[in-house]
Amino acid sequence: MLVVGAGITGIYQLHRALEAGFTAALWEAGEGVGGTWYWNRYPGARFDSESYTYAYLFSRELFEEWQWSELFAGQPEIERYLNHVVDRFDLRRHIRLGARVGSAVYDEASGTWSVTAADGATTTARFLVAATGVLSVPYFPDVPGRDGYGGESYHTGLWPSSPVDFRNKRVAVIGTGSSGVQIIPVIADEVTSLTVYQRTPNWCTPLNNAPITPEEQARLRTDFESIKQTLDSSMAGFLHQPCDRASTEDPPEARQRFFEKMWNSPGFAKLISHYTDVMLDEEANAEWCSFISAKVRAVVQDPCTAEKLIPKDHRFAEKRPPFVAGYYETYDKPNVALVDLHETPILRMTETGIETAEGERQFDIVVWATGFDFGTGALLRMGVVGRSGLTLAQYWADGPKTFLGVQTAGFPNLFFPGGPHAAAGNNPRYNGDQVDFVTDTLVHARDHGYDTIEVDPAAERRWTAMIDRGAAKSTFGEISYYFGTNIPGKPKKYLLNSGGRPKLFSTIAEVVDSDYEPFRLGRAASPSRSA
Ligand code: NAP
């Protein structure tokens, strides 16, 4: 097996493959392991899922020996953890760094994939597992003159490994998604001036991070089994428990108290443990949004800036909401300015800065916090060619078609856990579910003497239709990058599993019960047949 990508999913896939007795190697484009947590090393990058719920759960010893310092760990600690895992399970000798896959071509006669890296290295694998992630291709908007800008320029998702010196610099940050709102408060005090270029404000609520106390560390170790059980079965892969009532069941004063409790709750509790109607009912959502707006107005002293920071075009959770620490407070600092791109759009980059309708501002550093080509970006850039010369780019020209978000018809022995059509929630949990399924499927094939495996097109059609149907009912709107709408020209298709983790679990159970009926198992150089 060749695994591509040494992020959370790829590292786990490599471990599971070796454990199951496969010969396995992993190629990674970066010069270190960590995937998202290697590339996104910008100041302020940190988890917004609780550290121990994002970490691996396959080894109790690992869980017990690694003590996270904070409820939401910062990038350096996460990168250290992933390096620890790689060494702890003796995976490093199977990993080749600096190997960006540029082409992967299926050979029907042998049932294998020929894979070539950008540096010319080649290999052949029977099974190719692209653990290339959903947020791994940084997006740079096509701003005229971008290449002619002469100052320092960085994308949050491609951050250099040597620290960027912000001291005494005039800095621009473009974009106010989860990455932008993390870096903005962290660099504000270092820089001479910080100008934030905001197109759409987001509903930002506090992350509420805290150190993990020694007592809590001890409790985590004691509770490992119950934590694991909850995380393995919960709908979105979190420990947060759903609320037992709708907002309409509480009188107005109690609602305000509950909103205050939500405001002070950690991270995603604000989605999962909120009133049952807040994500579904417009009025309930609007009341929560009014509560957040009042918080913003109370913090941001300049009323005009406060209004610009309050979303007017989308509900809470219509886009993936960011969680923040000291974000709104940043705009009260004298060296920080907000440029509203709806009022004054960027016209072009100059050699020295950014020109909008209000004129040019000069910068030493421009930070692009402008997001990613979500879901399909990395897979479509891997030069994947399946059976009969069909490219993945051709087959997915109108959007991804998958079964369980792990395989696509016409591309035998290729799997992509943690890719498009994965469930929404705490990523490592459902990506891990997919890795387990892929590994178990390959063991099943091996045990029965098969060496090719390909999903039946009918099963793929059913799964993809289920995703499209569910997308219409999703909390996320078409304004969200989950529909691919942030990338010009990208097909507007829902890129998550709208059936969620329960649908993933129930379909996997059906697959196993039916003896892998939705897959065609075969022997290379022999006609494929249904199992
Ligand atoms: P993002 O959410 O897609 O935000 C991109 C930002 O760039 C948006 O504000 C967008 O504005 C702006 N933008 C895009 N094109 C622009 C243009 N031409 N001119 C001006 N502004 C433009 O990307 P992200 O912030 O990198 O976050 C992506 C995802 O990564 C998150 O949703 C989350 O899943 C993950 N993430 C997680 C964490 C964490 O806490 N664990 C941290 C960072 C990221 P519009 O909204 O108007 O398009």
Side-chain angles (χ1 to χ4, degrees), residues 225-530:
E225 286 303 340
S226 73
I227 290 173
K228 178 170 157 49
Q229 201 185 6
T230 306
L231 292 173
D232 280 350
S233 55
S234 100
M235 218 156 123
F238 288 98
L239 291 178
H240 308 300
Q241 292 302 308
C243 180
D244 59 357
R245 62 192 188 286
S247 64
T248 44
E249 293 175 56
D250 275 346
E253 314 78 59
R255 281 211 291 276
Q256 289 302 305
R257 279 199 303 279
F258 187 80
F259 285 158
E260 195 66 46
K261 183 177 155 196
M262 284 295 105
W263 182 260
N264 292 314
S265 67
F268 278 94
K270 294 172 204 72
L271 277 86
I272 295 157
S273 308
H274 218 309
Y275 283 132
T276 51
D277 53 350
V278 158
M279 306 303 147
L280 305 170
D281 179 78
E282 260 184 46
E283 227 173 284
N285 195 294
E287 193 177 355
W288 168 237
C289 289
S290 299
F291 176 89
I292 303 174
S293 305
K295 290 283 188 192
V296 177
R297 291 187 186 110
V299 170
V300 180
Q301 283 159 22
D302 173 37
C304 188
T305 304
E307 287 317 303
K308 287 177 180 168
L309 289 166
I310 297 171
K312 307 287 188 298
D313 67 340
H314 66 279
R315 306 182 308 270
F316 179 80
E318 193 170 341
K319 298 167 81 173
R320 196 272 204 196
F323 302 104
V324 292
Y327 175 62
Y328 292 117
E329 289 80 352
T330 307
Y331 292 94
D332 291 334
K333 294 180 194 285
N335 65 333
V336 177
L338 179 68
V339 176
D340 180 345
L341 294 178
H342 285 307
E343 281 177 7
T344 52
I346 295 179
L347 299 178
R348 65 187 182 105
M349 301 282 293
T350 65
E351 211 184 318
T352 49
I354 298 173
E355 187 183 331
T356 68
E358 64 161 18
E360 186 197 356
R361 294 189 191 217
Q362 300 196 326
F363 299 107
D364 304 303
I365 299 179
V366 172
V367 174
W368 298 84
T370 44
F372 299 87
D373 184 349
F374 180 81
T376 50
L379 277 170
L380 292 179
R381 282 167 177 77
M382 252 179 53
V384 178
V385 183
R387 235 173 340 92
S388 314
L390 180 71
T391 69
L392 190 61
Q394 287 165 336
Y395 190 53
W396 285 5
D398 297 328
K401 301 173 212 154
T402 80
F403 179 60
L404 292 169
V406 297
Q407 240 209 347
T408 188
F411 299 80
N413 292 358
L414 168 68
F415 300 86
F416 40 85
H421 295 178
N426 190 15
N427 279 26
R429 301 283 67 86
Y430 60 74
N431 295 357
D433 300 335
Q434 291 178 312
V435 166
D436 289 339
F437 175 71
V438 168
T439 312
D440 294 349
T441 302
L442 296 184
V443 167
H444 172 90
R446 185 184 60 192
D447 289 352
H448 291 80
Y450 297 112
D451 49 21
T452 64
I453 180 156
E454 178 185 356
V455 67
D456 189 284
E460 175 178 290
R461 274 197 300 276
R462 282 197 299 276
W463 181 263
T464 306
M466 179 280 294
I467 302 263
D468 290 343
R469 275 196 312 275
K473 294 186 214 131
S474 163
T475 312
F476 300 117
E478 290 184 0
I479 190 175
S480 162
Y481 65 76
Y482 292 141
F483 282 85
T485 46
N486 63 325
I487 305 295
K490 187 164 169 165
K492 195 200 300 174
K493 285 282 177 183
Y494 197 56
L495 297 163
L496 299 174
N497 167 12
S498 54
R501 210 171 173 215
K503 183 71 182 170
L504 182 71
F505 285 155
S506 62
T507 312
I508 286 177
E510 282 164 26
V511 170
V512 174
D513 282 352
S514 71
D515 209 16
Y516 292 82
E517 192 272 334
F519 291 96
R520 294 170 177 176
L521 292 147
R523 296 182 180 90
S526 68
S528 63
R529 64 164 199 82
S530 279

Side-chain angles (χ1 to χ4, degrees), residues 36-37 40 42 44-49 54 135 139-143 155-157 174-182 197-202 207 268 313 319-323 341-342 346 368-372 374 427 479 481-482 486:
T36 283
W37 301 106
N40 290 263
Y42 58 85
R46 64 173 62 249
F47 282 154
D48 57 11
S49 300
Y54 200 97
L135 289 161
Y139 167 62
F140 288 93
D142 191 14
V143 177
H155 192 289
T156 48
I174 305 174
T176 50
S178 300
S179 306
V181 301
Q182 278 191 335
Y197 287 83
Q198 170 192 272
R199 195 164 62 181
T200 315
N202 272 300
L207 179 63
F268 278 94
D313 67 340
K319 298 167 81 173
R320 196 272 204 196
F323 302 104
L341 294 178
H342 285 307
I346 295 179
W368 298 84
T370 44
F372 299 87
F374 180 81
N427 279 26
I479 190 175
Y481 65 76
Y482 292 141
N486 63 325

